[in-house]
Amino acid sequence: MNRVIEFFIGRPRLNYLLFFFLVLSGIVTYLTMPKEIFPPLALDKISITGAYSGASPNALDKMAVSRIEDEISNVSGLRSVESTIASGRFSMVIELEESADKNDVLQKVKDGIARVRPDLPADMDEPNATLFAFSIPLILVNISSDTLSIDALVEIAKAFKSNLSQIENLTNLQIYGEGERVIEIILDTRKLEAYGLSSASVATAIGRISSIFPIGKLEETGGKHAFISTYNGKEPQELLRTLLRIEGKTLHLGEVATVEKHYTQTDTLSSFEGRRSLSVNVAKTEEGNAMALAGAVKERVKELAKRYPEVTVGTFSDTSVYIENRLNTVVSNIFFGLILVGFVMRLLVNHRISLVVIIGVPTSFIIALLFMDMGGYSINMMTLLGALIAIGVIVDDAIIVAENIQRHIEEGMEPKEAAIVGTKEVVTPVLAASFTTIFAFLPMLIMSGEMGQFIKLIPIAISVLILASLLESFIFLPIHACHLLRPKDKQVDWSRAMTFYTNLVRKLITWRKSTLFTFWVLVPVLIVGGFALSKFKIFPDFDGDQMNISAKLPVQTTLEEAHAIAQALESKVLTLKEKYFIENVTVISGFRMNARGEGEEGNNLFHIFVDLKRAKPDNIVAKYITPVLSFDFKSMKYERTFKSYDIETQLREELTAFMAQYETINFEVKGPNAGVVSMPIELFVYAANDEEAQKAITRIKEALKKIKGTNTIGDDAALGTPEIKLKTTPYGERLGVDEGTLARVLGEYFLESSRAKGFDEQGFLDIILKEKNHNSLEHLYDFKLSLDSGKYVALRDVVEFVEVENYEKMFKKDGKKRWMVFSDVDSPVTPTEVLKALNPTLEAIRAEGLVEIGFGGEKEQNDQLAREMGIASAIALFLIFVTLLVMFDSYRLAFIILSVVPFSLFGVVAGHTLMGMDFSMPSMIGALGLAGVVINDGIIMLDFIRKTTTLEALLARAKLRLRPIILTSITTLVGLSTLIFFPSGQAVILQPLAVSLGFGLLWGTFLNLVYLPTLYAFVSKVK
């Protein structure tokens, strides 16, 4: 390293060339680098999906899901299997062990499904197993009209989709509300009976009226060549005139059926600002820049809207807004922090050293950007979080090197020599300090699950930034210091501060035993007491720009009925636009989304997206600093004066009262959250007996209702559509009626299915056959069943109708049935407090031994976080200890420095107490990072005093470290000050982290300047 330093200081032209090349490359990289809220995840999951129209959840479980679960249970590498079974379809999510080979396990799962396939119904498609896909949502485009039909809207939406798909780095464009184009043939049963025709023969005849398959090719010798195929393009009127020959009778199709060509009824209906609409969902690739792509989509949408004046087009759920807000917040804080750092350095040292440091810090960020881009990483919430943590270390490195060079220049050394000597002198402590910080975070790579996938980016970003900082501090900063620092610059006089510091440390060392005893007793008591009295929630509440309103209605509710209720609620919300600063409202019926972004489908569901107007800046930094210092800041109207969480509370009260006129199973009004859990409180009930499970669920819900601060209490144990089982009577058996006959004949009527294929000018379509009265229960009872004798018998005469209750959905984990009870929580109450109050009820249920209780929600995440952060902390301390041993080659000195780490937690506790904040996951990450940051100054201090044996020698060496330690601490604290005291919007998520680092470092400065010399004097018996 010494030769590298001398080489680059001795070749200034090469040094500056590399410097400007890296700066320009970094700027280009920043402009082109993907920017997103969260990075794409390589999830270790496999998804299995299957469907069988008309099957109840219970039937699907018995004939498919349970068999697949049994077949794959012995596949190695599976961590858990969660199954969700609804009417006519099921999905299974398999979570893999981290060490498992995803492709190998996928193939084994597919092999297991193939072995089950012969036992599944012959007309059921084989369940599909795929690796879990992670998409990156970008924006939704809404197309609505008061005058156009839904078919016309579909055609326009397709044109939008086709045009938008041409934009590079967009993917997975989907139209919500689009049905499939079909020709629907609706049979009249009474007319069939009048003609004496059976349904099976009619269905067979209809299956022959159209074919899309080619017949062949004609190649006449010396003549014409041509392909041969059927016409397959009849319109509805032509089909009605089609002659059918069935069971010896000849008739036109129109005599027993009607024919329509249209788009099928979709699984969802939507409206925008009260108008019927369709939505185009737009996602992006990993390489795409979310902000640039969102802008491109909006521009393209404006152009397309001019072609279709009869529709209203808008955009909503723009995820780039969140990215922009967070990016602007962090970037402006970094730049404003640099300005403050420069100002502080100017006040405490001189303007030239201030300039050297200010040049060095952004250079480190630029170099790190290059490394991150080459590694395939993006600018996202996690990498920005890492940048925020690392800024303190980057400033420290620059200050320590620059200050040491300045000290040698002040002592009369030539600038070039001072740059070489001053840099080489601090190489070892700077390297040790940097690697201890890296080692403090590196163990976070062991974090598992989806949370771990996100958190892993923090140590990666920090490591890259610190390595970039070392490169800048040892290669570029010395040449800048050589050319900028001067011996005759006016210096701030530190003599009085050094005198005060020397006298204070002398007194404490003189009374070292009393000092250390008081310290060792008082500080741990305050730390433990502070944590014991504090509250914990996984993320703090923050302000956002969207509200989500969703409901689950009784299972018998049709899609049209659900949409009517949703539109009534939409009309109510529209009357509150001015009161709650609402920008626009979009309704999607047949669908709802939870806080984690997971979708649920069903006719009895609806979801209302409410976009809020931008909030007015609520502090001087957001109002004056962020607009000036952000690269991507856009001037917009800022009107909202209420926080979104206040709007959430008031809107919930008003809308809950409005929805009281309708029967609902679950109704939610939720503002933005971090999306880690769907609900703060999630309790899982496992039981072999459904009745016992229902009793436990009822008891838990009743107990939750009595706890202050809970709302939106519900469960997923709602009963669904009952199953009517047909049991053949003895009389029916004597007539030759069996279950196979019933399934074959009734399936022709009650299972809508494709009987043929066709083409028209717009492309491929299905020819669907269904019965006119197939939804009538009386028609089922009176259905005329054809016997082998040629006679007919009413179904009610040969079967017994047995009605069986079904759950709307069945949920299983590792083959065991499970039900969930959930609840939201109002601030300032925390989920931990709610669960503590609920615990007596849970213990009483467990004591009965009939059901098992498990936890999800924040408790599951908190328990995992505490367990894995504890392991990570132990590994971090070990790695730091090893680093200290390498540097000092002394257990005694290593333990002296390491003792600073646990005591620094007092600053974390004090900071949260003074700021009136609950502890959260960002707080814990900040506390873990503090271990690496606070120890840096300790290394610098101990490296200077470790060879002293007398008090005066110790004081003389210790005061030389006063200025750099004070400088590094103050500048880091100043750099974090805007996030500590002036967070806004979603930057509130980062505030606890900044508080942990800032206040922890402030207290750590006292530890390193006062406690560490005192402890060294005690252990080393300094006289």
Side-chain angles (χ1 to χ4, degrees), residues 898-969:
L898 208 59
S899 69
V900 172
V901 174
F903 288 120
S904 66
L905 292 176
F906 174 69
V908 177
V909 173
H912 282 75
T913 303
L914 290 172
M915 298 296 294
M917 296 171 55
D918 294 334
F919 280 93
S920 60
M921 189 186 77
S923 306
M924 298 298 101
I925 294 174
L928 181 60
L930 180 65
V933 175
V934 78
I935 213 169
N936 294 348
D937 288 337
I939 292 173
I940 302 298
M941 172 61 78
L942 198 59
D943 187 50
F944 264 64
I945 66 174
R946 60 174 169 163
K947 294 181 180 179
T948 60
T949 56
T950 65
L951 177 59
E952 293 305 319
L954 186 152
L955 294 174
R957 295 291 291 174
K959 72 177 183 180
L960 293 177
R961 293 295 87 197
L962 175 66
R963 185 170 74 173
I965 289 176
I966 290 290
L967 287 176
T968 55
S969 299

Side-chain angles (χ1 to χ4, degrees), residues 472-628:
E472 200 284 330
S473 297
F474 295 147
I475 303 298
F476 300 118
L477 188 146
I479 199 69
H480 300 153
C482 175
H483 293 155
L484 292 175
L485 300 184
R486 295 289 181 270
K488 296 182 179 179
D489 284 332
K490 184 178 180 182
Q491 305 292 323
V492 174
D493 185 7
W494 282 75
S495 59
R496 293 177 62 183
M498 288 183 177
T499 300
F500 173 81
Y501 169 70
T502 301
N503 292 335
L504 173 63
V505 175
R506 178 182 281 111
K507 289 180 181 178
L508 292 176
I509 291 177
T510 302
W511 297 92
R512 67 192 74 173
K513 291 183 180 180
S514 300
T515 299
L516 292 173
F517 179 78
T518 304
F519 189 88
W520 287 338
V521 172
L522 183 61
V523 174
V525 169
L526 292 174
I527 292 173
V528 173
F531 277 115
L533 296 174
S534 64
K535 298 180 180 181
F536 184 89
K537 59 195 307 183
I538 198 161
F539 281 107
D541 295 329
F542 61 91
D543 185 46
D545 295 326
Q546 191 177 78
M547 303 294 297
N548 292 282
I549 305 168
S550 64
K552 174 181 280 191
L553 306 172
V555 70
Q556 298 84 4
T557 308
T558 65
L559 180 62
E560 292 76 11
E561 291 169 342
H563 194 56
I565 295 172
Q567 287 185 304
L569 183 60
E570 177 188 28
S571 299
K572 172 65 176 178
V573 174
L574 290 173
T575 65
L576 303 172
K577 286 187 74 171
E578 298 300 322
K579 181 177 181 180
Y580 294 124
F581 300 93
I582 294 172
E583 184 75 34
N584 57 60
V585 180
T586 301
V587 173
I588 298 180
S589 301
F591 163 89
R592 73 170 178 173
M593 186 172 66
N594 64 25
R596 298 181 63 184
E598 299 168 337
E600 178 184 4
E601 296 178 353
N603 288 344
N604 59 330
L605 307 174
F606 67 77
H607 194 107
I608 301 179
F609 297 92
V610 179
D611 283 348
L612 303 177
K613 295 179 179 179
R614 293 287 189 93
K616 286 185 175 180
D618 56 0
N619 59 65
I620 58 172
V621 172
K623 189 172 184 178
Y624 299 109
I625 305 301
T626 300
V628 176

Side-chain angles (χ1 to χ4, degrees), residues 69-80:
E69 288 173 339
D70 291 341
E71 191 62 42
I72 66 175
S73 61
N74 293 323
V75 174
S76 59
L78 306 190
R79 176 176 292 173
S80 65

Side-chain angles (χ1 to χ4, degrees), residues 868-884:
E868 294 184 343
M869 288 289 276
I871 296 171
S873 299
I875 297 173
L877 290 174
F878 174 75
L879 292 175
I880 291 172
F881 185 70
V882 170
T883 305
L884 296 174

